[in-house]
Each structure stands twice: as structure tokens, then as C-alpha cells.
Amino acid sequence: MTMSSTTDSVAVLTGMYAAEAEYLAAGGPGEASFDLLAPFFAPDIELHQADALPYGGTWRGHKGMTRFFLRMGEVWESFDMVEQEFLATGETVVVLTQIRARARATGQELSFPLLQAITVKDGQITEVRPFYWDTRAIADACAMPTSTD
């Protein structure tokens, strides 16, 4: 592990988060092109989301990432990364992010921490493993209200 590879990993993530902000400002999923984000993700990227979430499962490749962002847009009215801290050692970066979000289905606002273990190889993100403190609260906030009729 070298200081250079650690710095490079953080630079890739910083660039990706800036591109994600540009992507969202351009209309986000269904409106903006994933091409803004694609250079930061390896063609065989794997994103592992907790199965209990409405966007749970493993999303693979650029097509999978495109579908993931579309699903996130269906679930969340807003999803803001308020604060971020990076801890990098070589190809592995741990990112602690404070999220502020509003669920589309219920209008409920949430604030929660998200910890992600991200692997960066050859200047691209190859794997993302997010860890949530309370998947039940997130899933409940995103659930469609049930009719009592």
C-alpha cells in the first residue's frame, strides 16, 4: 500500500461524488445520462445493497448501476449527502456519509448515517458495500401506505 494509491482512491471517489451531484442537478435518473458517472465505475462494478431495502440486491455493471439509480429515483424524492468522511488504505476506502432524505411513498424525512466500503482498482470503482444502521426504518419510510378499506 502506498500513499499514492490511497490518494488516488480518494481522488476517484471525490470525482465520482462530484459527477453524481452534476448527474442529479441535470435531472438524475431517467433524465440525465449515466455517461456522467460511467468513467468512475469499472464495467464489472458490483454494488451490494441490503436485501431489506426497496432497492436491495446486487447491481452489476453499468446497466445494473443505471437501473439502481432509476430505482433510487423511484424510492426517494430527495437523497442528500450532507457530510462525508473518507478513510483510505490503498484500494479500500471507507466512506461515512450523513444522509438526509425524503421518501416518495410516504413523504417521511429521514436522517441517517451510511457507511460504505468501496474498492478502487486501476482508477475505477469495482465494488461498493453499503452498511446501514437501521434498514427497517428506511424500508418503513419507503413503504407504500396500505389501504384500510
Side-chain angles (χ1 to χ4, degrees):
M1 144 182 49
T2 67
M3 182 60 101
S4 177
S5 65
T6 298
T7 303
D8 293 345
S9 295
V10 171
V12 168
L13 287 178
T14 302
M16 187 278 296
Y17 286 119
E20 184 177 43
E22 184 179 343
Y23 170 77
L24 294 173
E31 299 292 324
S33 173
F34 181 76
D35 291 346
L36 291 168
L37 293 165
F40 297 96
F41 294 105
D44 59 348
I45 173 76
E46 287 193 354
L47 167 61
H48 307 274
Q49 289 285 348
D51 288 334
L53 298 174
Y55 41 88
T58 300
W59 305 83
R60 291 184 175 88
H62 287 183
K63 287 183 181 180
M65 292 300 290
T66 300
R67 288 192 312 275
F68 167 73
F69 280 108
L70 284 169
R71 183 66 183 137
M72 286 288 287
E74 293 168 357
V75 171
W76 297 108
E77 182 177 325
S78 65
F79 194 88
D80 300 318
M81 297 179 195
V82 182
E83 297 174 27
Q84 290 187 305
E85 295 179 42
F86 297 84
L87 175 62
T89 56
E91 295 178 341
T92 302
V93 182
V94 175
V95 183
L96 175 59
T97 305
Q98 186 62 36
I99 303 292
R100 189 174 35 224
R102 177 175 300 144
R104 249 183 228 293
T106 64
Q108 184 176 345
E109 292 186 9
L110 296 173
S111 181
F112 57 91
L114 173 63
L115 187 72
Q116 297 178 88
I118 302 172
T119 304
V120 178
K121 292 182 182 174
D122 299 323
Q124 292 185 309
I125 300 165
T126 60
E127 185 176 41
V128 181
R129 289 188 178 273
F131 298 91
Y132 297 83
W133 270 248
D134 190 348
T135 56
R136 158 92 17 97
I138 294 168
D140 288 350
C142 297
M144 292 297 294
T146 55
S147 175
T148 57
D149 295 340

